[in-house]
């Protein structure tokens, strides 16, 4: 009976689908908690269904999570292992713009392709809980969460988000003087009486300064070619990741999320979760906590050194510094080019240079500016600020190494103590506006700045002279507070997240505008469904694509979407005679739907709420989360923020969404190259390129032999990608053209993508699953080599032959030998430990060793082969199911108890001793381990081989170490 993977895999995939074998059980409300089956929630990062489908690198993490999910079912857990699609986003929209097809259509087609591929690999997903972020029944709840954020503020006294009504109550009772909130800077103080006297519009504008999602003019990454704002993680090397288009910095009124309110909690929460240290460190750096002081420098009004000519309220430049002890070393100041004061303080003489610099800087992304530590550029504004203590004038520059969004967008430059300030001062040394560097350390700074926080005394620092870092910092802050020009402060690099996108294919905001002020639609009328539009590009007057919708206004009387014409006909000074107002034209960013999706899986068909309290209480959060490390400062940060917010509001049961996180490594492609001469008339084989001027050209893997690396020249010439080389001369080695090979990222553009469908068709899904695990540790990058897959395929055939011969099942009920039990239980022990430690590659090796050992012992014993089928089930589920059924069992093997390791089978009862004569081993002898030294000596001396070696001599000494060695001397 042969092993036909095609029939077996199709059979069991159909069985699992028909029987919903992997559907997780929902908790029963009436069942006591102590009687409920223990839960285990394992989740893969949300896939985006691209048109390219899966390549063999994509399933790596899915296979690992599936092994764990299947193992936990065997161990008696109620396993939630769902799957769905992050189906809004820019790629589908760009494709729609190019082809005119609706993004919904292409997304639906892409999802169908993904699902087909995923099913072929045999994942134990609970498909009954599938979610798609672009479905209205899903984004209805995303819109609801947005409304909750809008109706909340962050109370620093209680350290959590609270309903906006509690803030309004404080305003009505005592104004805002005692409010300790995370809010906009420089909010004007008001009393309770003033609050009551404010108009409704004035009150709404003030509340926007406190809300957790708010409208504000923000510096954004604007991509003119794509017509949209991009997040930092959507920009690579200063251009858009999608399409490679230029990106500029631009001010726009945008929705933002006040993630900065959660900075400290996001930082502290890292200590409570089992994530890799590298991911934690990425988040710590992104959050960027700094302890120091805020300092106010007054701008000298006349912009002339040393003069102050009037008594008006002075303009101030506020800075945050981690080194207030160096306040007397301030040599100049630097503003971000986007800083709002730049245009106000720049002198007429410097205006042209400053404006040109600001325009040039706008073309560089913040990420590019942060990464570029070598380029030095800047312009003197012509203005001066006043030192808070010495009252000396300090020149004010602008430079792109200062970012508007970090701190205050201004720095007090202390070149003697900071390398970047030092380089800036030296670069502009001798130019107008750049004084000599002030040295405030008793250290030499002739070659470089002295940046250490110890090993110095302050000099040239007035009342700080003789102090070190700690004492100087404390005294400087006290002095700044006394004169009202500074105070101690903790700062975070983490900035509020821009939440608006000028795109079509995203979640509509549940927002309409009255006199330009945002109003939330009542949640009972959600979802606000994305309208149909003819064009997916921005409108001719620059509005987002939703500006093309003809019916995109909100009727507040009938609570429905109506024609835009009703707005233009009835609006008078922001009010409407028939209650019709314009809806928000922006859509939410791609990370909106993925910031809470794991909770939807807990109760995916609940129409009334995103998940019931019972479901949330039972599932709590994700026990194991697997995905790529590229999401460290995007998705993983945003999802933690939303989870903490929902916890504050009493919806989420836990503070953190993901208990354990594993970042799978990348499966790399093995690219192939031909080598083209400079005139493109010759193509040299790999071994002949030395000394030749050639250019490597990527070759589609379909035209080479993956094992011998030989190019099929005819197939190459007839391939549509290489028609330019039909007349080229092929310079062969030994009659063959051998391509070059190189390990690179698997990508369609490199023609090194391997389709998992091909592997499943040729070798089987179980072979693919085992091979991907066998390639190496899950977290490491490793190259794909199809040639190596034949060994894994052969292993499965060898496993099959333990159970069957040509005539059918050969399994017997005979009692196995001790060695058979030993081989099995050694494998049980190893595989159990490996899965629990997520070390899947060594399990595959152990399976191979075990099958080889059992084959050599001609094992066909049920007591061994039955548990072996269960043991391999998480890794190779199709063959395991078939073996289980052929052994006479009903139903799926997926919930059969996992074999338990018993130590007694690994306890050695015998030892094979090496027997040496004068230190040279001559033969071995197997003896029971419980023999005494005298008994061992008696047996060895009576052995014919010993008698022959001694040849009548009597040894001077017999050395015996029980369980180790036997040595006869003399």
């Amino acid at each position: 009976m042969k092993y036909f993977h095609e029939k077996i895999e199709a059979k069991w995939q159909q069985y699992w689908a028909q029987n919903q074998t992997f559907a997780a059980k929902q908790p029963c409300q009436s069942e006591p908690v102590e009687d409920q089956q223990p839960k285990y929630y394992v989740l893969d990062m949300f896939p985006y269904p691209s048109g390219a489908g899966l390549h063999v690198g994509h399933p790596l993490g899915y296979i690992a999570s599936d092994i764990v999910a299947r193992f936990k079912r065997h161990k008696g857990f109620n396993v939630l292992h769902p799957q769905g699609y992050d189906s809004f986003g820019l790629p589908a929209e760009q494709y729609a713009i190019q082809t005119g097809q609706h993004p919904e259509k292409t997304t639906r087609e892409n999802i169908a392709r993904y699902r087909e591929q995923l099913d072929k690999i045999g994942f134990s997903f609970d498909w009954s809980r599938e979610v798609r972020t672009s479905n209205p029944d899903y984004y209805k709840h995303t819109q609801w969460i947005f409304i909750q954020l809008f109706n909340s503020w962050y109370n620093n006294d209680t350290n959590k988000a609270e309903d906006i009504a509690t803030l309004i109550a404080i305003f009505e009772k005592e104004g805002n003087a005692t409010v300790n909130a995370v809010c906009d800077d420089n909010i004007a103080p008001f009393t309770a009486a003033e609050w009551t006297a404010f108009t409704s519009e004035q009150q709404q504008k003030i509340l926007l300064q406190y809300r957790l999602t708010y409208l504000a003019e923000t510096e954004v990454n604007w991509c003119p070619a794509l017509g949209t704002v991009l997040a930092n993680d959507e920009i690579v090397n200063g251009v858009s990741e999608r399409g490679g288009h230029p990106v500029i910095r631009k001010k726009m009124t945008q929705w933002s999320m006040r993630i900065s309110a959660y900075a400290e909690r996001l930082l502290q929460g890292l200590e409570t979760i089992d994530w890799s240290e590298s991911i934690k460190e990425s988040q710590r750096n992104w959050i960027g906590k700094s302890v120091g002081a805020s300092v106010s420098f007054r701008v000298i009004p006349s912009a002339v050194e040393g003069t102050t000519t009037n008594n008006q309220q002075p303009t101030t430049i506020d800075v945050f510094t981690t080194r207030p002890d160096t306040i007397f070393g301030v040599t100049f100041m630097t503003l971000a080019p986007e800083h709002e004061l730049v245009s106000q303080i720049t002198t007429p003489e410097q205006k042209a240079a400053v404006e040109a610099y600001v325009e040039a800087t706008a073309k560089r992304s913040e990420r590019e500016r942060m990464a570029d530590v070598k380029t030095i550029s800047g312009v003197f504004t012509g203005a001066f600020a006043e030192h808070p203590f010495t009252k000396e004038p300090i020149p004010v520059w602008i430079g792109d190494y200062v970012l508007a969004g970090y701190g205050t967008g201004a720095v007090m430059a202390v070149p003697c103590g900071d390398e970047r300030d030092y380089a800036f001062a030296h670069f502009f040394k001798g130019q107008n506006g750049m004084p000599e560097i002030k040295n405030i350390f008793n250290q030499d700074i002739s070659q470089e700045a002295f940046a250490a926080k110890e090993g110095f005394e302050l000099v040239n620092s007035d009342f700080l002279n003789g102090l070190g870092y700690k004492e100087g910092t404390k005294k400087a802050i006290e002095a700044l507070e006394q004169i009202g020009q500074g105070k101690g402060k903790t700062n975070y690099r983490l900035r509020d997240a821009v939440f608006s996108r000028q795109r079509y294919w995203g979640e509509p905001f549940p927002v309409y505008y009255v006199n330009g002020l945002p109003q939330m639609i009542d949640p009972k009328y959600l979802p606000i469904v994305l309208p149909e539009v003819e064009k997916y590009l921005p409108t001719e007057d620059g509005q987002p694509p939703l500006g093309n919708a003809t019916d995109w206004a909100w009727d507040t009387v009938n609570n429905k979407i109506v024609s835009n014409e009703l707005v233009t006909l009835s609006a008078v000074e922001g009010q409407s005679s028939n209650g019709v107002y314009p809806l928000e034209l922006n859509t939410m960013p791609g990370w909106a739907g993925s910031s809470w999706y794991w909770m939807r899986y807990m109760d995916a068909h609940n129409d009334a709420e995103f998940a019931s309290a019972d479901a949330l209480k039972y599932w709590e959060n994700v026990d194991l989360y697997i995905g790529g490390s590229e999401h460290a400062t995007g998705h993983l940060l945003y999802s933690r923020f939303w989870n903490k917010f929902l916890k504050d509001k009493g919806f989420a049961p836990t503070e953190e969404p993901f208990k354990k996180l594993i970042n799978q490594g990348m499966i790399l492609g093995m690219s192939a190259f031909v080598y083209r001469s400079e005139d493109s008339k010759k193509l040299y084989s790999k071994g002949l390129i030395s000394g030749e001027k050639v250019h490597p050209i990527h070759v589609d893997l379909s035209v080479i032999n993956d094992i011998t690396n030989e190019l099929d020249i005819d197939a190459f010439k007839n391939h549509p990608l290489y028609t330019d080389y039909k007349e080229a001369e092929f310079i062969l080695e030994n009659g063959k053209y051998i391509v070059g090979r190189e390990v690179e990222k698997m990508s369609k553009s490199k023609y090194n993508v391997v389709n998992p469908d091909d592997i499943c068709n040729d070798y089987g899904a179980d072979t693919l699953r085992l091979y991907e695990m066998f390639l190496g540790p899950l977290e490491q990058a490793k190259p794909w080599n199809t040639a190596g897959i034949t060994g894994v395929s052969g292993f499965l055939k060898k496993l099959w032959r333990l159970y069957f011969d040509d005539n059918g099942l050969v399994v017997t009920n005979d009692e196995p030998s001790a060695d058979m039990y030993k081989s099995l239980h050694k494998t049980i022990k190893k595989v159990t430990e490996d899965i629990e430690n997520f070390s899947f590659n060594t399990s595959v090796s152990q399976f191979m060793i075990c099958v080889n050992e059992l084959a050599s012992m001609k094992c066909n014993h049920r007591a061994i082969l039955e548990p072996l089928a269960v043991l391999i089930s998480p890794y190779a589920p199709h063959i395991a199911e078939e073996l289980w059924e052929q052994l006479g069992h009903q139903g799926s093997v997926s919930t059969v108890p996992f074999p338990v390791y018993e130590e007694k089978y690994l306890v050695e009862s015998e030892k094979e001793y090496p027997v040496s004569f004068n230190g040279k081993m001559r033969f071995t002898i197997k003896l029971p381990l419980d023999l005494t030294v005298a008994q061992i000596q008696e047996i060895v001396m009576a052995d014919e081989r010993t008698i022959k070696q001694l040849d009548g001599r009597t040894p001077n000494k017999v050395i015996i170490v029980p369980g180790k060695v036997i040595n006869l001397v003399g």
Side-chain angles (χ1 to χ4, degrees), residues 12-83:
W12 287 104
Q13 287 166 13
Q14 184 180 20
Y15 175 92
W16 295 332
Q18 289 176 345
N19 292 276
Q20 293 197 27
T21 304
F22 308 117
K25 302 181 188 72
Q26 274 301 81
C28 178
Q29 295 181 22
S30 60
E31 187 178 18
V33 175
E34 59 271 16
D35 294 338
Q36 291 178 353
Q37 188 180 2
K39 70 93 181 183
Y40 193 84
Y41 187 176
V42 56
L43 183 63
D44 303 289
M45 283 189 186
F46 228 2
Y48 180 85
S50 71
L54 298 173
H55 61 61
V56 292
H58 293 123
L60 179 69
Y62 299 166
I63 296 169
S65 67
D66 200 56
I67 289 170
V68 175
R70 288 176 177 274
F71 173 72
K72 291 293 183 178
R73 288 191 196 95
H74 285 301
K75 299 295 280 186
F77 286 84
N78 180 21
V79 174
L80 177 55
H81 185 37
Q83 187 58 284

Side-chain angles (χ1 to χ4, degrees), residues 604-658:
H605 304 294
N606 190 328
D607 188 55
E609 50 194 343
F610 70 82
S612 70
D614 287 329
L616 289 161
K617 182 179 179 182
Y618 176 74
W619 293 111
E620 290 188 323
N621 56 5
V622 177
D623 295 284
L624 174 64
Y625 197 36
I626 296 182
S629 60
E630 66 272 15
H631 299 292
T633 56
H635 161 65
L636 288 172
L637 206 55
Y638 298 141
S639 56
R640 293 182 64 218
F641 159 43
W642 276 35
N643 198 95
K644 289 175 187 297
F645 167 73
L646 290 170
K647 172 73 163 57
D648 288 351
K649 301 297 295 230
F651 301 112
T654 61
E655 184 83 3
E656 292 289 340
F658 316 118

Side-chain angles (χ1 to χ4, degrees), residues 515 664 667 755 765:
N515 201 22
Q664 86 271 12
I667 287 186
N755 190 328

Side-chain angles (χ1 to χ4, degrees), residues 517-588:
L517 289 170
Q519 315 293 322
M520 296 297 113
I521 291 170
D522 191 313
K524 65 185 175 185
Y525 301 115
L526 301 179
I528 302 304
V529 178
L530 196 64
E532 295 285 339
V533 295
E534 287 188 13
K535 297 179 181 178
Y536 306 112
L537 288 167
T539 64
E540 292 181 2
D541 59 356
Q543 296 281 14
L546 285 184
N548 294 308
T550 55
D551 294 340
W552 198 237
W554 186 249
D555 183 340
T556 59
V557 177
N558 299 299
N559 294 298
K560 64 178 183 179
I561 294 172
V562 295
S563 170
N564 296 345
E565 293 180 358
L566 296 174
V567 177
T568 56
L569 291 174
S570 62
V572 180
E573 294 183 355
Q575 299 303 311
S576 171
S577 59
N578 60 356
V580 177
Y581 298 96
L583 283 160
E584 171 67 69
L585 297 180
N586 288 312
T587 54
M588 298 185 196

Side-chain angles (χ1 to χ4, degrees), residues 46-50 62 83-88 107 110-116 118-119 125 127 130-135 138 593 597 601:
F46 228 2
Y48 180 85
S50 71
Y62 299 166
Q83 187 58 284
Y85 304 97
D86 191 9
S87 48
F88 270 135
T107 299
N110 293 346
I111 286 175
R113 173 74 179 125
Y114 258 55
R115 176 64 188 271
E116 178 187 14
L118 292 171
D119 283 346
F125 293 131
W127 285 112
E130 178 194 309
V131 301
R132 304 181 184 188
T133 58
S134 57
N135 280 3
Y138 180 86
Y597 76 107
Y601 284 136

Side-chain angles (χ1 to χ4, degrees), residues 235-414:
I235 302 167
V236 178
N237 298 324
V239 297
S240 64
E241 185 178 34
R242 184 76 181 175
H245 303 294
V247 177
I248 62 173
R249 298 290 292 171
K250 179 179 178 180
K251 283 191 175 181
M252 294 179 70
T253 298
Q254 301 283 297
W255 282 104
S256 289
M257 289 281 173
R258 216 178 289 276
I259 188 175
S260 57
Y262 287 83
E264 186 62 27
R265 282 169 64 184
L266 288 167
L267 201 58
Q268 296 305 319
L270 294 172
E271 305 306 316
T272 68
I273 49 182
D274 184 7
W275 292 16
S276 70
E277 194 54 36
S278 61
I279 291 290
K280 288 184 179 183
E281 197 57 27
S282 292
Q283 293 211 349
R284 290 189 191 106
N285 290 338
W286 196 260
I287 295 165
K289 183 178 181 178
S290 306
V291 178
S294 62
V295 186
S296 290
F297 291 81
R298 296 187 178 117
V299 177
I300 298 173
S302 64
V304 177
E305 293 189 37
T307 63
T308 303
T309 58
N310 57 44
N311 296 319
Q312 68 184 29
Q313 186 70 27
T315 300
T316 63
I317 298 174
D318 297 318
V319 305
F320 171 80
T321 176
T322 58
R323 294 294 303 273
D325 60 311
T326 65
I327 187 72
F328 287 96
V330 179
T331 302
F332 60 97
M333 301 191 73
T334 314
L335 305 184
E338 309 88 354
H339 197 289
E340 60 183 8
L341 287 180
V342 172
S343 60
Q344 297 177 35
I345 67 172
T346 298
T347 61
E349 296 80 6
Q350 293 297 110
K351 183 178 180 182
V354 166
E355 288 180 348
Y357 184 76
V358 170
E359 183 180 350
T361 304
K363 297 174 183 177
R364 302 182 75 201
S365 71
E366 283 197 1
R367 181 166 288 188
E368 185 182 359
R369 286 160 58 181
M370 288 168 68
D372 185 5
V373 296
K374 295 181 179 179
T375 304
I376 299 173
S377 66
V379 176
F380 177 43
T381 65
F384 291 83
E386 181 184 82
H387 193 282
F389 295 119
T390 67
K391 306 305 179 185
E392 294 176 358
I394 303 168
V396 182
W397 288 66
I398 59 172
D400 69 357
Y401 74 96
V402 182
L403 304 177
Y406 177 55
T408 64
V411 299
M412 57 177 225
V414 182

